[in-house]
């Protein structure tokens, strides 16, 4: 089950990337573009990912995509993958995360389908459920709760008062205590001399069947 919580701004051209990164291309044409910036496991031919020195192994085959890497790692790389060589992989990843992704705007959320609520649910009039959300059967959502766009709440789930849930997929038979906060944007920076660069977190929270979360949890 997959839901979209963030706007992918790809494809992004290498020409655009060069404006933001001091880099050296290998096996990349000026008109090359990338559909997404992603982790290694999800990398495909039109994607862009990154490799650090600690991730590298001569025994691994890294697929068909393009990698951001350091100069020292580039010398070890025996595959024919296209590479973008940078001085600081961490800061490059931070910059690219903000080039490829952003949060949905208010207008974009308003254009999503209205929330879908299944049968036998008890949802407080003081709860807010944003467009694109899907609520299963026998779900209880208490006063003051906020369910963000495109969230999925499974059957027989209870969400107690004043809880905020965004960027989350919740399975069946889950209980979330009051005043909890799930799926908020992560906190991470690339530390540089000039200024710290915030890393855009495009992940999501997934709660499996039968999970019980106490009150005041984040």
């Amino acid at each position: 089950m997959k839901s979209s919580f963030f706007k992918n701004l790809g494809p992004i051209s290498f020409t655009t990337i060069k404006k933001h990164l001091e880099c050296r291309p290998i096996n990349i044409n000026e008109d090359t573009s990338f559909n997404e910036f992603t982790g290694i496991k999800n990398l495909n031919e039109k994607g862009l990912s990154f490799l650090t020195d600690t991730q590298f192994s001569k025994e691994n085959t890294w697929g068909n995509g393009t990698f951001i890497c350091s100069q020292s790692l580039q010398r070890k790389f025996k595959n024919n993958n296209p590479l973008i060589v940078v001085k600081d992989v961490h800061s490059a990843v931070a910059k690219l995360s903000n080039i490829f992704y952003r949060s949905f705007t208010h207008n974009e959320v308003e254009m999503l389908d209205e929330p879908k609520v299944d049968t036998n649910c008890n949802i407080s009039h003081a709860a807010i459920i944003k467009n694109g959300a899907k609520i299963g059967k026998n779900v209880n959502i208490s006063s003051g709760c906020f369910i963000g766009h495109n969230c999925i709440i499974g059957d027989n789930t209870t969400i107690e008062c004043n809880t905020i849930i965004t960027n989350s997929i919740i399975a069946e038979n889950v209980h979330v205590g009051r005043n909890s906060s799930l799926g908020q944007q992560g906190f991470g920076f690339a530390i540089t001399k000039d200024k710290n660069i915030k890393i855009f977190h495009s992940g999501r929270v997934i709660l499996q069947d039968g999970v019980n979360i106490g009150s005041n949890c984040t």
Side-chain angles (χ1 to χ4, degrees):
M1 188 180 291
K2 187 176 181 181
S3 189
S4 174
F5 300 115
F6 306 103
K7 184 80 170 179
N8 180 3
L9 303 178
I12 304 293
S13 68
F14 178 64
T15 301
T16 298
I17 290 174
K18 283 200 308 181
K19 294 177 182 178
H20 296 269
L21 299 182
E22 184 180 341
C23 61
R24 177 168 59 88
I26 296 177
N27 299 327
I28 297 175
N29 297 323
E30 289 293 320
D31 58 353
T32 299
S33 60
F34 307 98
N35 291 339
E36 59 182 352
F37 184 46
T38 185
I40 294 173
K41 291 183 179 179
N42 298 319
L43 184 62
N44 57 46
E45 187 177 357
K46 293 292 186 179
L48 177 63
S49 189
F50 65 95
L51 264 176
T52 64
D53 290 14
T54 56
Q55 289 174 298
F56 183 78
S57 171
K58 292 180 180 178
E59 289 75 32
N60 282 357
T61 301
W62 297 109
N64 298 319
T66 301
F67 290 97
I68 305 275
C69 71
S70 66
Q71 186 171 338
S72 61
L73 185 55
Q74 179 261 315
R75 289 194 290 264
K76 301 177 186 176
F77 216 100
K78 303 302 181 184
N79 293 23
N80 292 321
N81 291 78
L83 303 174
I84 298 176
V85 182
V86 297
K87 291 182 179 179
D88 183 352
V89 173
H90 195 200
S91 63
V93 168
K95 291 176 182 178
L96 288 176
S97 71
N98 291 286
I99 294 171
F100 275 88
Y101 296 99
R102 64 165 172 78
S103 298
F104 281 5
T105 65
H106 173 76
N107 288 339
E108 287 169 338
V109 172
E110 290 299 304
M111 291 176 65
L112 297 173
D113 293 337
E114 291 186 359
K116 294 181 179 179
V117 180
D118 215 322
T119 58
N120 200 32
C121 291
N122 183 13
I123 299 176
S124 169
H125 291 296
I128 296 174
I129 301 178
K130 301 300 286 185
N131 284 354
K134 296 180 180 178
I135 312 296
K137 301 175 183 176
N138 308 313
V139 172
N140 295 297
I141 300 178
S142 299
S143 175
C145 288
F146 178 92
I147 310 298
H149 69 273
N150 286 341
C151 285
I152 298 173
I153 312 294
D155 298 348
N156 309 310
T157 290
T158 295
I159 302 171
E160 294 190 9
C161 59
N162 301 320
T163 285
I164 297 173
I165 297 178
T166 58
N167 313 322
S168 298
I169 298 173
I170 297 177
E172 301 177 355
N173 307 300
V174 171
H175 185 279
V176 182
R178 65 185 182 278
N179 302 319
S180 293
S181 181
L182 304 180
Q184 308 311 303
Q185 267 285 302
F187 183 86
F189 293 91
I191 300 173
T192 65
K193 291 181 179 179
D194 299 328
K195 66 176 182 178
N196 296 339
I197 308 166
K198 184 167 183 179
I199 300 171
F200 189 90
H201 290 72
S202 60
R204 61 184 185 268
V205 170
I206 299 177
L207 297 185
Q208 302 292 350
D209 184 62
V211 171
N212 191 335
I213 295 179
S215 299
N216 305 309
C217 290
T218 300

